[in-house]
Amino acid sequence: MPATVTPLRTPPSHPQSRRPAHVQALQRPPALVKVCELAFLRFEVPDLDATEAFLLDFGMRRTERTADSLVMRGTGASPCIYAATRGPKARFVGSAFTVPAGTDLERLAERSGGRRLDPKAIPGGGQGIELIDPAGHSVWLLRDRPALEPLPVREPLLAMTNTVLHKPRINAGVRAPVEPAAVVRLGHVAIQTADFPTMSQWYMRHLGLIPTDVQYLSDGSPALSFFRLDLGDEPADHHTFVIVGGLEDKVEHSAYEVVDLDAVGQGQQVLRAKGHKHLWGIGRHVLGSQIFDYWFDPNGLQFEHYTDGDVFTADFETHYSEFDLGSIWAWGVDIPPAMKPRMSPAVLWRVLKLVLAKKLAPQRLKLFGQAIGIPARPWM
Ligand SMILES: [Fe+2]
């Protein structure tokens, strides 16, 4: 077993001020704006009917549907957490964030190279601008978003959990309803990029994101970062945006918060019964701590249910830990092959082009291969 395999202990994590000498800090550039919410994600899909059926079973609610578009919400106040239009093949189009009320959009567009959006094109309403990130993803910055009346959602069962020290539930059982896991809100999106340094700098500068946890390769170079929103003293999710340094520019997954652990479990039952394709879970992540369950939609895109994630205020120091597959989850079944990088001829060709263009150093590719090659749970 390689010396760096540490399956039965939590990988060490170092605050930035006390990180090992060889670990490079992910320096934060001055921010053009500090976004305050991940509003929704935009996709193109070939089959809106099949996609809508999956999302309903996943626990979202439909707010708008035409022959060529679909808008979904959660039980929270956001008028839209997911928007899709009909397209020739499934693809992630981009993300939409809200900016603080009163943000001068004209000035922001000038400084960030954005263009004004037609308000009629914004699902759920409001006004905003569009930026294009270095990988070509659309990023919308919106304000004046109307809020909807939240929909009723059951109380979390945790308050009535019997523990060894405290047993509040007497003469009663645990009876979570068998129903789709009511999605309350959009939590985060993770994207992979072949150019981690450029993309991480761009998102910190244009959205004001804070790196909560950075993972580095064995040479100390950052390769993955979990970013949270800068909400000052208000606690923000451990990550709202994740950038994974890899071989391609694509979406990894999007994640949606549900009311509690029993919603994750009962939601899994419903999705299985409806014949949807399971990906990974139930387990608990290490960085962010969420209890998770991952699914494929009919387009092969990855959707995560989660609950019990960590939250941090803006002053919490960035932490650094070494990247390997085993650091992704604390317990649960082994990570499936579909979540590991795959070497297809198309990916190999892309890698070759990146190496020839000097955008990807062969040494970095080797270190990345070593990190993901370490068996996470060798006994599985
Ligand atoms: Fe996630």
Side-chain angles (χ1 to χ4, degrees), residues 188 190 239 253 255 285 290 294 304:
H188 61 263
H239 54 275
H253 69 270
H285 282 305
Q290 303 94 334
Y294 288 78
E304 176 188 4

Side-chain angles (χ1 to χ4, degrees), residues 65-361:
R65 176 66 206 271
T66 69
D68 295 312
S69 67
L70 171 65
V71 177
M72 306 293 283
R73 66 174 288 190
T75 62
S78 174
C80 168
I81 60 172
Y82 172 101
T85 52
R86 190 184 302 280
K89 65 179 182 128
R91 74 181 186 98
F92 170 66
V93 177
S95 45
F97 295 83
T98 52
V99 295
T103 299
D104 184 339
L105 291 176
E106 296 298 339
R107 179 160 161 70
L108 185 58
E110 268 171 36
R111 298 182 70 199
S112 59
R115 70 165 185 99
R116 207 56 199 250
L117 288 168
D118 177 355
K120 291 196 290 295
I122 303 173
Q127 53 177 323
I129 61 173
E130 177 180 56
L131 318 182
I132 304 295
D133 80 12
H137 305 301
S138 161
V139 177
W140 287 3
L141 303 180
L142 309 176
R143 57 167 242 214
D144 307 329
R145 298 276 291 159
L148 300 182
E149 190 65 34
L151 301 172
V153 63
R154 70 169 173 76
E155 283 291 310
L157 297 173
L158 294 172
M160 296 302 285
T161 297
N162 282 348
T163 69
V164 72
L165 297 178
H166 179 57
K167 297 200 177 359
R169 199 180 65 252
I170 300 164
N171 299 337
V174 178
R175 300 291 181 267
V178 183
E179 61 186 11
V183 165
V184 177
R185 58 186 284 268
L186 167 61
H188 61 263
V189 60
I191 60 167
Q192 185 184 135
T193 179
D195 189 349
F196 177 83
T198 301
M199 286 285 275
S200 54
Q201 287 299 307
W202 191 92
Y203 274 91
M204 287 190 284
R205 171 143 177 83
H206 290 83
L207 306 185
L209 303 181
I210 301 172
T212 306
D213 273 299
V214 177
Q215 295 202 288
Y216 54 86
L217 298 176
S218 58
D219 67 349
S221 61
L224 189 161
S225 182
F226 295 86
F227 292 98
R228 70 184 182 279
L229 306 182
D230 184 348
L231 304 182
D233 293 337
E234 184 188 333
D237 288 350
H238 172 273
H239 54 275
T240 294
F241 201 80
V242 185
I243 300 179
V244 182
L247 305 175
E248 303 176 71
D249 283 285
K250 64 171 191 176
V251 68
E252 289 277 349
H253 69 270
S254 54
Y256 304 83
E257 187 168 9
V258 301
V259 68
D260 61 11
L261 171 59
D262 280 90
V264 176
Q266 292 289 21
Q268 184 185 91
Q269 279 212 117
V270 171
L271 284 157
R272 283 192 191 280
K274 298 277 188 167
H276 298 295
K277 193 173 171 194
H278 189 240
L279 172 56
W280 186 31
I282 296 171
R284 190 185 276 279
H285 282 305
V286 175
L287 301 176
S289 303
Q290 303 94 334
I291 289 176
F292 63 80
D293 195 30
Y294 288 78
W295 290 83
F296 283 115
D297 81 349
N299 310 293
L301 297 165
Q302 300 175 10
F303 286 73
E304 176 188 4
H305 276 151
Y306 77 88
T307 188
D308 195 20
D310 300 330
V311 292
F312 295 91
T313 51
D315 57 354
F316 189 81
E317 194 171 8
T318 300
H319 279 56
Y320 292 75
S321 55
E322 187 160 356
F323 172 71
D324 66 53
L325 278 183
S327 65
I328 298 174
W329 81 109
W331 53 255
V333 294
D334 203 4
I335 193 167
M339 293 194 93
K340 297 176 187 172
R342 275 161 293 176
M343 267 301 177
S344 65
V347 172
L348 274 175
W349 174 237
R350 208 172 293 127
V351 168
L352 188 61
K353 282 201 293 188
L354 287 169
V355 170
L356 290 174
K358 296 196 170 13
K359 289 183 175 170
L360 180 63

